[in-house]
Structure formats: structure tokens, C-alpha cells
Amino acid sequence: MSTTASTTTTQRELTLDTDTVDTIAVLEAEAVSSTRPARAKLTWSSESEGEWIANYGGYFGGSVDKLGGRYVASDTFGMVVGDFGSLEDAQANLADRLHVMLPPVIRPVD
């Protein structure tokens, strides 16, 4: 990803790696408002044995995959959120991350 930073006399092109863009998005979402709205509705479906798909406010929110005895959560951008000992921990952690990362889709819970 690149963006142009302009000043009155020069323009510069900046190239940012995916991790940096992800970090900036999370920090920006946290800084936008000190009061967080209600979370979007989160539902889970199981596409196949050992795979759970998150639907967050009507959007693909990521997934949790069972690998061996562990549960690996990945967010909507395919970034690994973490490796957890239980499905519940993986789903809760992904839900918390989505609430921060996807503020435009946050709407009151039905």
C-alpha cells in the first residue's frame, strides 16, 4: 500500500507494510472515540469440521480453525489474531478485535 504525503513544496510517496497498516487502523479506531457504541451482531457458522466462520454486522469477520488441539483465529484481513486453548477463547478474542478494527460496521445489537 502506498499513500502520498503532500506539503506545500514537495510530495513524497510512502510505502507501508501490511502489519503497519493494520496497527495504524487499530490505533486510529481506538482514538476516534472514547465511548464505544454497542457491538455489531456476531454470528458463527461452521463450514466444515474444525472451521468456524464469523459474520460481524453482515460482513465476513474472520474464522477460527482447529489445528491439532489448538484453535487459531484469523481476522477479516487474514491476519492471525492468536492461538488459543479453547474455541470460546478464540471466538471471544476475535470478537474483541473486530469490535476495534471494524468501527464503520458497528450498529446496535438486534
Side-chain angles (χ1 to χ4, degrees), residues 38-56:
R39 291 178 184 241
K41 183 176 181 181
L42 175 65
T43 58
W44 292 93
S45 61
S46 182
E47 297 293 318
S48 63
E49 183 78 26
E51 179 184 31
W52 295 266
I53 306 298
N55 180 310
Y56 188 78

Side-chain angles (χ1 to χ4, degrees), residues 6-75:
S6 63
T7 62
T8 55
T9 56
T10 61
Q11 287 191 346
R12 296 181 204 123
E13 185 169 302
L14 306 172
T15 302
L16 304 173
D17 60 85
T18 304
D19 289 337
T20 302
V21 172
D22 188 43
T23 300
I24 291 169
V26 169
L27 292 172
E28 183 178 63
E30 289 174 345
V32 168
S33 174
S34 60
T35 59
R36 300 292 293 164
R39 291 178 184 241
K41 183 176 181 181
L42 175 65
T43 58
W44 292 93
S45 61
S46 182
E47 297 293 318
S48 63
E49 183 78 26
E51 179 184 31
W52 295 266
I53 306 298
N55 180 310
Y56 188 78
Y59 299 91
F60 171 71
S63 64
V64 174
D65 297 296
K66 185 174 183 181
L67 300 173
R70 306 289 293 172
Y71 296 85
V72 177
S74 301
D75 67 20

